[in-house]
Amino acid sequence: MLSFVLCDDNKSNLDRLTKILDSIFIEHNINAKVTFSSTTPEDILTYIKSNTVDVLFLDIDLKCKISGIDLATTIRKFNKNIYI
């Protein structure tokens, strides 16, 4: 199963994207699931360090100290296999 993780500063956007992805997975019989979503980069980093993640959706402007691009760069340092 493919594991998808989502990070966006807007909880409503996270909920909508999760529903859209779940619908696509079901409609096309894709063995995948949104396993985690968060509005904070710190939560994403913690999750990714201890779980298998295949695909990561990041908002570029997270409206905090770290941007989505910075977060992706940090993640790539310890896990080069995640599709970001």
Side-chain angles (χ1 to χ4, degrees), residues 7-64:
C7 185
D8 192 302
D9 62 319
N10 184 314
K11 178 74 169 116
S12 177
N13 287 347
L14 284 175
D15 293 341
R16 276 187 276 146
L17 183 55
T18 299
K19 288 179 184 176
I20 290 168
L21 288 172
D22 285 342
S23 294
I24 291 169
F25 299 153
I26 291 168
E27 180 179 338
H28 297 284
N29 197 29
I30 299 170
N31 190 16
K33 181 178 182 180
V34 175
T35 56
F36 187 75
S37 65
S38 179
T39 58
T40 63
E42 296 82 10
D43 290 347
I44 295 295
L45 284 173
T46 300
Y47 183 84
I48 288 175
K49 286 180 180 178
S50 59
N51 294 278
T52 300
V53 176
D54 300 298
V55 181
L56 175 62
F57 280 70
L58 289 173
D59 183 1
I60 292 175
D61 182 8
L62 293 171
K63 296 183 179 49
C64 63

